[in-house]
Amino acid sequence: MTKPAEVTDNDWETEVLKNDTPVFVDFWAPWCGPCRMVAPLVDELSAEYDGKVKFVKLNTDDNTETATRYGIRSIPTMMVFKGGEPVGQIIGFRPKSNLKQAIDAAL
Amino acid sequence: MTDSRDYDIVIIGGGPAGLAAGLYGARGRHKTLLIEKGVIGGQIALTEAVENYPGIQMINGFDLAQAMLAQSESYGMETEYTEVQKIEQQGLKWLVSTEAGDFTTRALIVTAGAEYNRLGVPGEDRLIGKGVSYCATCDAAFFKDQAAVVVGGGDSALEEGIFTTRYVSKATIVHRRDEFRASAILQERALADPKIEVAWNTVVTEVLGDDQVTGVRLKDVNTGEESTMDVTAVFIFIGSTPNTGFLGGLIPLDGGKHALVDEWMATPLPGLFAAGDVRQNSARQVASSVGDGVTAAIAADHYITANFHGDTAAAAAPAEATPAA
């Protein structure tokens, strides 16, 4: 199973905005408890949506430029991008079924 | 025949009370299931530092919860991540309906905890995640060198208020009374902190901002005088309400929606127990919730022994009840 790759401020443009398929981004930081709880769910979803949606993670401590650009002020925040535009956003820990709903609604 | 969805003890809620009940249930050789709808640990998963759990000088709340989970699972407790929709009596057993299907159990322990209260003022809901936060340890880092208000006067408000000062330039604690309810040691720390100011006898009446929080409207409760304060973050800690919605109509609740139980955490209904923050007069501490959970599990053990005469899920499925460790 391929786990979501880490993206940074530097490769945000190519890995997320210019990606052909929709991209699910998990904004997280190492000190955030709920982020650690979301992580395994995102791993599972990454396998379930393999080929349809690309899954990546962005560490908000190390990549403040991107976090600021999208107004991230609470983590975990998860966003879905399609054609370079944000089309869905989830703030805070949610059960897997809710994450799936949000992804499906954005596709 | 073995029914994999039939249990001796089902526990609703994976905070300290539920995890402790699960440990004692599983060690009592009962087939035990813990159901959690969100994050294991509940409110403590969001606590940066637990420093009042006896025997442990200091531990991160998420780590403490994970350690409790690992210990309970090592004795065979099962865990299911789903939300309970309804519980009802089915003969001598309880039927627990969840988003992941139905479970039956001989004893049911409700440790569903409590959810933080919202202020209920304009702008609050709209700006959640945009400066309005109920978890300073999660979100304070996004407000480096900015000004914040912290609403409340209890342990959580002061603990989290003190935490925000690692990042923010100034934290104003807005409290509606002229004294804090928080424990003395937290009051001493907060009042001695050069980055913390207190607005006594003051309430927040509105959170201001379009896409992001830009300020709050404040009101002095004595004079009625209104003012605004420029801040980019509003951290809210004004108490909690027990998650007893799914018990409504089944058992008596008090005015604050807490379940009424006896000293064994037993509700008036056979086989139904309530422990931790959901019960009336809980001390709402990790240590007291753990004690509640243990008491409920021991009471459930006695109840099962007295009422089911060996006709247990563990007896029907010995392999599944054997501890993993």
Side-chain angles (χ1 to χ4, degrees):
Chain A
M1 183 170 113
T2 48
K3 286 203 169 186
E6 288 282 346
V7 296
T8 65
D9 284 344
N10 294 330
D11 59 12
W12 177 260
E13 189 82 23
T14 50
E15 293 296 324
V16 177
L17 301 185
K18 296 206 167 137
N19 195 67
D20 291 336
T21 56
V23 185
F24 180 98
V25 187
D26 175 12
F27 294 87
W28 73 289
W31 40 262
C32 155
C35 297
R36 290 162 71 179
M37 204 66 203
V38 161
L41 305 184
V42 174
D43 288 354
E44 287 174 27
L45 289 168
S46 165
E48 288 171 31
Y49 285 86
D50 189 30
K52 281 182 275 184
V53 180
K54 175 177 171 179
F55 283 73
V56 298
K57 297 164 75 98
L58 182 115
N59 181 324
T60 56
D61 274 0
D62 302 337
N63 302 282
T64 51
E65 196 184 302
T66 307
T68 307
R69 178 171 168 190
Y70 293 98
I72 307 295
R73 313 220 93 175
S74 179
I75 50 174
T77 286
M78 288 144 281
M79 291 177 80
V80 183
F81 287 83
K82 211 169 156 182
E85 296 295 322
V87 292
Q89 186 181 43
I90 306 147
I91 297 172
F93 179 91
R94 302 282 179 79
K96 193 171 152 190
S97 56
N98 290 27
L99 299 183
K100 283 183 88 136
Q101 282 168 13
I103 296 169
D104 293 340
L107 292 184
Chain B
M1 196 183 115
T2 304
D3 180 352
S4 65
R5 292 188 159 248
D6 184 38
Y7 288 85
D8 295 320
I9 299 176
V10 167
I11 300 156
I12 302 174
L19 292 164
L23 175 66
Y24 273 68
R27 281 175 62 86
R29 291 283 193 261
H30 294 295
K31 193 179 170 208
T32 302
L33 173 72
L34 176 81
I35 301 174
E36 168 57 48
K37 69 171 175 176
V39 184
I40 283 290
Q43 295 170 75
I44 64 157
L46 302 179
T47 307
E48 164 72 9
V50 175
E51 49 186 38
N52 54 11
Y53 192 69
I56 300 175
Q57 189 68 34
M58 183 168 80
I59 186 169
N60 172 272
F62 185 86
D63 293 336
L64 176 60
Q66 290 298 313
M68 288 183 180
L69 177 67
Q71 188 182 9
S72 300
E73 287 185 335
S74 77
Y75 290 102
M77 184 189 81
E78 296 169 43
T79 313
E80 180 85 33
Y81 294 94
T82 185
E83 183 156 8
V84 171
Q85 290 158 331
K86 201 170 97 178
I87 62 168
E88 60 187 307
Q89 282 177 292
Q90 195 180 61
L92 258 179
K93 294 186 193 173
W94 283 92
L95 176 69
V96 181
S97 305
T98 77
E99 286 176 356
D102 293 348
F103 300 93
T104 52
T105 185
R106 286 151 186 79
L108 179 57
I109 302 176
V110 177
T111 52
E115 213 120 291
Y116 51 74
N117 291 334
R118 295 192 178 181
L119 278 174
V121 302
E124 180 185 16
D125 285 354
R126 189 167 47 81
L127 292 164
I128 289 174
K130 303 290 175 190
V132 171
S133 171
Y134 305 87
C135 175
T137 51
C138 303
D139 302 336
F142 294 104
F143 304 95
K144 202 164 188 308
D145 301 326
Q146 299 172 42
V149 298
V150 177
V151 188
D155 279 352
S156 296
L158 267 55
E159 230 165 58
E160 303 266 329
I162 294 165
F163 180 86
T164 63
T165 63
R166 293 188 194 187
Y167 300 98
V168 304
S169 54
K170 188 178 127 187
T172 304
I173 299 179
V174 176
H175 186 42
R176 62 190 164 141
R177 299 189 214 283
D178 60 4
E179 60 180 1
F180 289 132
R181 270 181 298 111
S183 62
I185 189 160
L186 288 171
Q187 294 197 35
E188 287 163 18
R189 277 188 212 164
L191 296 172
D193 194 312
K195 282 186 173 179
I196 291 181
E197 284 183 19
V198 184
W200 301 107
N201 304 306
T202 303
V203 293
V204 172
T205 56
E206 187 178 355
V207 182
L208 307 169
D210 295 329
D211 303 329
Q212 300 275 326
V213 170
T214 56
V216 286
R217 196 182 301 283
L218 301 173
K219 184 176 163 188
D220 185 310
V221 294
N222 292 333
T223 65
E225 196 182 319
E226 294 207 20
S227 60
T228 59
M229 185 184 284
D230 292 342
V231 293
T232 51
V234 184
F235 294 103
I236 299 165
F237 307 99
I238 50 162
S240 56
T241 303
N243 294 319
T244 48
F246 63 97
L247 297 175
L250 272 177
I251 57 165
L253 304 176
D254 70 9
K257 297 183 187 168
H258 302 91
L260 305 187
V261 295
D262 67 12
E263 69 272 27
W264 282 102
M265 306 298 142
T267 73
L269 295 180
L272 181 64
F273 304 83
D277 283 6
V278 293
R279 76 162 171 104
Q280 190 180 43
N281 296 332
S282 161
R284 290 184 286 119
Q285 301 297 307
V286 179
S288 63
S289 289
V290 162
D292 269 16
V294 169
T295 302
I298 290 172
D301 174 75
H302 293 168
Y303 170 80
I304 292 166
T305 304
N307 290 277
F308 290 91
H309 312 293
D311 173 26
T312 62
E320 288 179 69
T322 304

